[in-house]
Every structure is written in structure tokens, then in C-alpha cells.
Amino acid sequence: MKLVIAVVQDADAPALTRALGEAGLTSTKLASTGGFLREGNTTLLIGVDDAQLEQVKQIIRDTCRTRTRLITPGLPMAETPEAMVGQPVEVQVGGAVVFVLDVAEFHKL
Amino acid sequence: MKLVIAVVQDADAPALTRALGEAGLTSTKLASTGGFLREGNTTLLIGVDDAQLEQVKQIIRDTCRTRTRLITPGLPMAETPEAMVGQPVEVQVGGAVVFVLDVAEFHKL
Amino acid sequence: MKLVIAVVQDADAPALTRALGEAGLTSTKLASTGGFLREGNTTLLIGVDDAQLEQVKQIIRDTCRTRTRLITPGLPMAETPEAMVGQPVEVQVGGAVVFVLDVAEFHKL
Ligand code: NI
Ligand code: NI
Ligand code: NI
């Protein structure tokens, strides 16, 4: 048995929770902020049998890994050079920090 | 030394915290939601000497384990068949998910 | 790799987070209350290489350890004996409870 502690972005948490649920895995969501990722993150506790650990890591990778997204700015700011207005900009989103801990005992009461 | 991470229902958390306190044990309450239990749960961190671990598990069992409760509906809903109005209904409450982790070091500063 | 779980007073959390950042360490802040310390505490998750663990413990000690502070009461309460009015009073602040856990796996996605 392992306890996976995953710190992910708030925006990625619903997709992660849904994908875990589809794999028959339950998770507990802790309110968290700052640090490992930019403000507004979520910390998930996921209990998992050793045999399913690779699957959990793959699910986190699929739903949360750092990736770039092209954003086309809608409202140009005053200081934006005219040439830049409306140009798509690449921004980084997502990312996850994952701790896997050995569980000495697990009980469901 | 062990770290007990207990996810319990909000409704059971005060009784659990009180019982732990009476046993001389301190706990830290983390705000948490969803997953292991229905919405509105609480995650407790409980540091405990190996010798007291069984007692902690018994306290969690006593205050939080899944149990049924008879509820007599007060306000019948429009669709409730008349024969059901006022009949006691068995609902499940409580439940706890407990992870016990080995602690490499413990410090009180 | 170690996971340090530090429960500290809310008032000490910003200094701790800042000092950890200056040491190149990231932390995730969980909302928490009660138990190990008086109401209003913060639980920090800090991932750290074994080689930096002593430094993390020293930083927590420096920013959070229990210490006394002299407080000169400004507004005397009705029942305060006159001789006591304006006398500095020693109060205890700070304190930290620190769990160090072994990490089986650590991933940054
Ligand atoms: Ni195991
Ligand atoms: Ni031990
Ligand atoms: Ni290690």
C-alpha cells in the first residue's frame, strides 16, 4: 500500500479526480496554496495498492503535467506594443509534485 | 513514532478530537473534501508513539466507524408515497479511512 | 528524499516560507487548525533532499521555535489590579511540531 500526495493546480484537480474515480480510486482533497506551484493549488491524498501505483502516476501525468498553451490576448494592455496585439502567446500551465510514501497500515472503518 | 492520517466525516471530527485529547493525544485538523467519504470530511494528523497506536485506532473506531442510524423523516417530500411518511429510514453515517505512516524523525520545537 | 510536515503558528508561517525560499526550497501550505498548537496554525509540506534536511530543521527552529515575548498591555481590563496596569507580561509564542517521513518516490511532472 502506498499513499500518494499530489500537489496539482486547482484547474487540473477536477480532471484528475474524475480520472482517478474512473480507475476505481478514491482521493481526498486538501485545501492548499503556494510553494511547489503557483498560487491556487490542490493537494490530493490518494491511497493505492502497490500494483496500481504506476497507473496512478500515469493518470497524474496525463491530466496535470506541465504543458504549454497558446493564448491569444483579448484585451491588449496599455503598454503592449501594437505589433504584439492579438499575437498568440505561449504560457505554461499545469505541473504536479508527487510524493509516494510507504503505508505501514491501512484501515477502512 | 507513527503519523496517523485519518479522514473522517465532519460530523464525527469533534467527538474524535475530544476523545484523543482525553487520551493525552494532540491532532491537527486539515480542511478536506470529497473522495474517500462523502463531501464534508476532515483530515486529522495524529502523531503517536508506537505503544499508543492501538489505542488511537480504537478511539477512531469508537467515534467514527460506519454505522446505521434510524431517521424519521419530518417533512415528507411531494413524491413520497403516503405509506412511507413518518416511517423511520436507516441511513449510513460515519466511516473513516486511516493511513498509518512510519515517522523517521519527530521534533517539538 | 524526505517529506517534512511542519505544523507552525499562522504568525510564523510567512517568515518560514520566506526563509525556505531563500534556501531554494519550496513548500505547500495546507489550511489547518487546532491540536498540536493553539488555534490558527498552518501545516507546511516541504520536500527536501536528505542532504538539506538539517538545514530545513534549523530554518524551522530559527523562525518558529517556542519563545517568550514581553507584551505591555495597552488597554487594562476592568479586573486588572492597578499595580499591574502597564506592567510588561511574558507570553509564549511560536512552537512547531515537525514530522520527517521517508519518501519512496518523488516526481515533478
Ligand atoms: Ni505497501
Ligand atoms: Ni516509530
Ligand atoms: Ni531519501
Side-chain angles (χ1 to χ4, degrees), chain B residues 1-2 50 103:
Chain B
M1 185 84 186
K2 295 283 186 284
D50 294 55
V103 172

Side-chain angles (χ1 to χ4, degrees), chain A residues 1-2 50 103:
Chain A
M1 184 83 186
K2 294 283 187 285
D50 294 56
V103 172

Side-chain angles (χ1 to χ4, degrees), chain B residues 1-5 17 25-32 42-48 101-109, chain C residues 2 5 7 30-37 41 43 53-54 57 60-61 64-66 94-102:
Chain B
M1 185 84 186
K2 295 283 186 284
L3 175 62
V4 176
I5 303 181
T17 308
L25 291 156
T26 50
S27 54
T28 285
K29 221 169 83 174
L30 303 176
S32 63
T42 295
T43 297
L44 286 181
L45 303 182
I46 309 157
V48 62
L101 309 175
D102 281 313
V103 172
E105 294 183 29
F106 174 75
H107 305 279
K108 208 158 186 169
L109 306 176
Chain C
K2 294 282 187 285
I5 302 181
V7 185
L30 303 177
S32 62
T33 52
F36 292 124
L37 303 168
N41 55 40
T43 298
L53 179 60
E54 285 310 312
K57 284 154 59 180
I60 299 174
R61 208 173 285 122
C64 303
R65 76 166 172 283
T66 305
V97 171
V98 180
F99 297 97
V100 180
L101 307 177
D102 280 314

